[in-house]
Amino acid sequence: MFVRQRELLATAVFLLDGLLIAGAWLAAYWLRFYALGIPAPLGIPPLSFHLWVGAVLTPVGLLVLRTFRLYRSARTARLSHELFVLAEGVVVITALAGLGSFFARGELPRSVLLLFAGIAVAGLWTTRAVVRIALRSMRRRGRNLRHVMVVGTGEQAVRLIGKLEQHPDYGIAIRGLVGTDRAQVGATVAGHPVLGTVDDLPGLVERTGTDFVYLALPRSDWQAEEDALVRLSNSTVAVRLVPDLVRAFTLNAAVEDFDGMPVVLVTETPEQGWNAVIKRAFDLVFATLGLVLLSPLLLAIAIWVRLDSRGPILYAQERVGVNGRRFRMYKFRTMRADAEAGGDPGWTTADDPRRTRAGEPLRKLSLDELPQLWNVLLGHMSLVGPRPERPVYVDRFRASIPRYMLRHH
């Protein structure tokens, strides 16, 4: 029943997307050549040609969206992620239409393609949001539920249950838990009864009408996990594995496909893909604005530092940045030129005698940090992120602070 309902919903959404793509294509033609009053110096292309292209574009568009895995069960997926993937799909569809226009000697105006992309995105986003809201409203009222059983009674299972119960709109009803010890049967964990052990799994699944089984066991119970997978291999229930990463470094943890082999990314730099582009664009824009707008102040401080004491205006110091890369970080000099003549680095104090007269107010107002906008512009640093430290302190901290190097991700 569960599989049949899921297939019916996926088919309905698939057909609706086809209607939206075809409708967006026709609407773009009508808006461009009739509704918006935009001049057409080369004349209006025949509607028959536009219909022919739409007849080809619609199934191609559906195939593109299908390759983005948009018709799989998205009960626990974020709506924002689905909308982003839809937009990516529309961009690909529009690009394919543009490629077709090139081979058709430009008979598809770029304005039509842009209108189509905008209308298609708006239509697909609206219908997806409406469908998601309607389904989640039904699930909060106890309809369209999926019954699950959790294998595990430890911390990993408790955390999973907590997350499932935080989202009643996902429509996931927990039937009970399965333990690894017969003595646990009959006990209550996180408000749910332990119905049996791994040996009882096939019968429990059939008797309770379970749709999903979540395996949430610690790594020490790998044998029980393997036994559960073997016992469920002859069952039609869907099995989902929750890896135990509680004791591992879990910065931006994810799973990637490596030539058919699932690989868990335990520690990974978060800024990847579009996130990296957006963050770098933010840094470039505001670092450039800062350098331009603050240039009079930077010049005035540079003159002040030069007149106040002997030595260079800027002080360059090696620091450790993202992924452990080293770079030269720039500051306005606030200490005497021979402040580290002894060779041993040390922390500055509130009344450090090595400071210059100009250095006191510059440090107090953090104005000595302004040249680091140049480091941001070069990509050494970011406007938002942990402060890069000197290599000597990084070596000292990583030896005494657990997981200290995660900050460099």
Side-chain angles (χ1 to χ4, degrees):
M1 184 66 177
F2 155 64
V3 175
R4 184 170 179 271
Q5 289 179 350
R6 185 176 64 185
E7 289 178 350
L8 286 174
L9 177 61
T11 302
V13 173
F14 183 81
L15 295 176
L16 180 59
D17 287 352
L19 291 174
L20 288 169
I21 292 172
W25 185 249
L26 293 175
Y29 178 85
W30 176 72
L31 285 172
R32 168 60 182 86
F33 295 111
Y34 295 101
L36 297 179
I38 302 174
L42 301 179
I44 300 177
L47 179 60
S48 58
F49 172 75
H50 199 77
L51 291 173
W52 182 86
V53 174
V56 175
L57 186 67
T58 299
V60 170
L62 289 173
L63 181 61
V64 169
L65 296 182
R66 188 176 181 276
T67 60
F68 279 85
R69 299 185 177 184
L70 284 164
Y71 302 107
R72 302 176 65 182
S73 177
R75 183 176 291 259
T76 59
R78 293 181 181 178
L79 177 60
S80 58
H81 175 73
E82 186 175 4
L83 298 182
F84 179 76
V85 175
L86 278 169
E88 285 186 317
V90 171
V91 169
V92 173
I93 296 169
T94 306
L96 291 175
L99 185 63
S101 174
F102 173 77
F103 288 111
R105 299 181 181 179
E107 291 192 46
L108 295 177
R110 283 172 291 182
S111 53
V112 172
L113 297 177
L114 292 175
L115 285 170
F116 163 73
I119 298 169
V121 167
L124 291 169
W125 279 8
T126 301
T127 55
R128 278 303 203 284
V130 169
V131 169
R132 183 72 70 93
I133 291 170
L135 286 174
R136 291 192 169 180
S137 177
M138 290 173 54
R139 292 162 186 165
R140 280 192 291 267
R141 296 197 301 267
R143 302 178 62 186
N144 190 239
L145 299 181
R146 297 291 172 262
H147 302 289
V148 308
M149 191 170 293
V150 178
V151 178
T153 56
E155 180 183 354
Q156 185 79 346
V158 171
R159 290 176 67 242
L160 172 64
I161 292 169
K163 289 184 178 296
L164 293 176
E165 292 181 340
Q166 286 175 6
H167 300 281
D169 51 334
Y170 288 172
I172 296 178
I174 301 174
R175 288 296 200 191
L177 277 66
V178 173
T180 56
D181 188 350
R182 184 65 63 179
Q184 296 175 317
V185 178
T188 300
V189 177
H192 298 276
V194 180
L195 302 178
T197 65
V198 173
D199 295 339
D200 309 319
L201 253 181
L204 288 172
V205 166
E206 185 174 350
R207 188 169 67 251
T208 59
T210 298
D211 299 308
F212 296 144
V213 171
Y214 281 93
L215 302 182
L217 293 164
R219 280 179 286 174
S220 57
D221 283 339
W222 63 269
Q223 186 63 62
E225 183 178 281
E226 186 174 304
D227 291 344
L229 290 171
V230 171
R231 294 179 184 280
L232 293 173
S233 61
N234 291 326
S235 171
T236 58
V237 70
V239 182
R240 298 185 175 180
L241 177 64
V242 183
D244 179 18
L245 297 177
V246 174
R247 297 170 186 82
F249 299 167
T250 54
L251 180 66
N252 202 46
V255 178
E256 72 174 6
D257 184 288
F258 181 68
D259 194 22
M261 176 185 293
V263 177
V264 178
L265 309 179
V266 177
T267 56
E268 190 73 12
T269 301
E271 282 68 51
Q272 295 181 342
W274 281 108
N275 288 338
V277 174
I278 293 171
K279 186 171 179 64
R280 183 63 185 138
F282 176 88
D283 286 341
L284 284 173
V285 169
F286 286 96
T288 302
L289 284 175
L291 288 170
V292 172
L293 297 177
L294 296 175
S295 55
L297 176 61
L298 293 169
L299 178 61
I301 294 175
I303 295 173
W304 186 16
V305 171
R306 168 61 73 184
L307 296 177
D308 179 66
S309 62
R310 298 170 60 182
I313 296 173
L314 294 178
Y315 172 66
Q317 192 177 67
E318 189 177 43
R319 296 292 177 112
V320 181
V322 67
N323 291 327
R325 291 195 296 266
R326 298 192 180 194
F327 67 97
R328 303 282 290 177
M329 189 183 79
Y330 297 101
K331 301 172 64 174
F332 281 120
R333 183 175 58 83
T334 58
M335 292 191 176
R336 301 192 311 266
D338 60 349
E340 291 187 350
D344 294 327
W347 298 104
T348 59
T349 58
D351 55 350
D352 199 315
R354 298 174 298 172
R355 288 187 183 177
T356 63
R357 287 173 298 179
E360 182 70 28
L362 289 178
R363 276 182 173 266
K364 188 174 183 180
L365 299 174
S366 296
L367 295 177
D368 61 320
E369 311 278 356
L370 290 179
Q372 291 165 34
L373 289 171
W374 179 249
N375 288 114
V376 174
L377 196 65
L378 295 178
H380 298 151
M381 299 171 57
S382 177
L383 289 172
V384 180
R387 179 180 178 83
E389 279 293 353
R390 301 177 67 174
V392 61
Y393 292 129
V394 170
D395 292 338
R396 194 176 298 175
F397 294 152
R398 72 195 302 181
S400 58
I401 302 176
R403 305 183 182 183
Y404 174 77
M405 293 305 292
L406 285 181
R407 75 197 304 270
H408 294 284
H409 284 286

